[in-house]
Amino acid sequence: MARTQTIAQVRGLTNQFGSHVVHDALDLDIYQGEILGVVGGSGTGKSVLLRSIVGLQRPASGSIHIFGEDLLALPPERRSHIEKRFGVLFQRGALFSSLTVIENVAFPLIEQAGLSRADAEEIARVKIALAGLPPNAATQYPSSLSGGMVKRAALARALALDPDLLFLDEPTAGLDPIGAGAFDQLILTLRDALGLTVFLVTHDLDTLYTICDRVAVLSRKRVMVADKLSVVENYDDAWVREYFHGPRGRSAQQASESSRRNS
């Protein structure tokens, strides 16, 4: 993947809750067109970092430049315009339980893009198909969907406004290996077809080895290393060694190598 430009730049980011500091002067770049996997031990603030970038958590200090603009310094109207170029899939889907799938996907098109319900639902059907759901899923409520279908419905909603930057928080958590593998391939296909840039928080080693162009490791309140997986997995750190070279890491690596040989 060619690095054409830096689409997002985080500098000196500090997040804290009371006296508890989660991030301290954290720096991170996101390159256009890449799938960036973000990993780290429990409590390292992976989801907090995602929420900071998309505007749901205001940091104590630092800057977040996206598409060349300093989000934290923008007036609300301009910031809202930039944030419409984001798509976000939250860890548990965060679908409205009282709305059908098509109503969930149409919601941002009506509320943020100002479309009529009929036009919004027409576009929503396209997004539902893009996310790999059958047409009859459109009229179902989230409570009647499997875990994998909930993820895909949430992905369809994240794609509703044709985002440039897609944020995924543990997208394969709770899925069986076959479902997780299919979801990984869907993300890869959508990135290539739609020209997306993807920021992906995950614990899933198979996801890292299958679709990520780079991996950023959060540790000690900062990004310890962000590079290609072949570099990151050999970084001299105890957590990195345990994570990438333990039994599950070796299994994911072997599966990835086998897939490349057979493709």
Side-chain angles (χ1 to χ4, degrees), residues 47 50 89-92 151 167-171 199 201:
S47 294
L50 183 154
L89 188 158
F90 296 101
Q91 187 169 347
R92 294 176 179 83
K151 298 278 190 182
F167 295 88
L168 309 175
D169 193 358
E170 297 285 2
F199 179 101
V201 172

Side-chain angles (χ1 to χ4, degrees), residues 201-245:
V201 172
T202 188
H203 285 99
D204 194 329
L205 282 154
D206 288 324
T207 296
L208 296 177
Y209 279 98
T210 302
I211 69 172
C212 290
D213 299 295
R214 288 193 308 139
V215 176
V217 179
L218 300 191
S219 179
R220 294 183 286 277
K221 304 175 183 179
R222 298 186 181 184
V223 174
M224 181 169 62
V225 57
D227 211 321
K228 293 180 180 179
L229 189 52
S230 58
V231 174
V232 172
E233 67 182 0
N234 291 307
Y235 191 80
D236 186 15
D237 175 79
W239 185 87
V240 169
R241 286 193 296 272
E242 183 177 0
Y243 185 69
F244 287 101
H245 298 286

Side-chain angles (χ1 to χ4, degrees), residues 206 209-210 249-261:
D206 288 324
Y209 279 98
T210 302
R250 290 195 298 271
S251 177
Q253 183 180 29
Q254 289 166 3
S256 175
E257 292 172 350
S258 176
S259 178
R260 284 197 297 268
R261 285 196 299 268

Side-chain angles (χ1 to χ4, degrees), residues 171-190:
T172 59
L175 301 183
D176 63 80
I178 294 174
F183 199 91
D184 284 342
Q185 290 304 317
L186 174 62
I187 296 302
L188 192 60
T189 299
L190 290 173

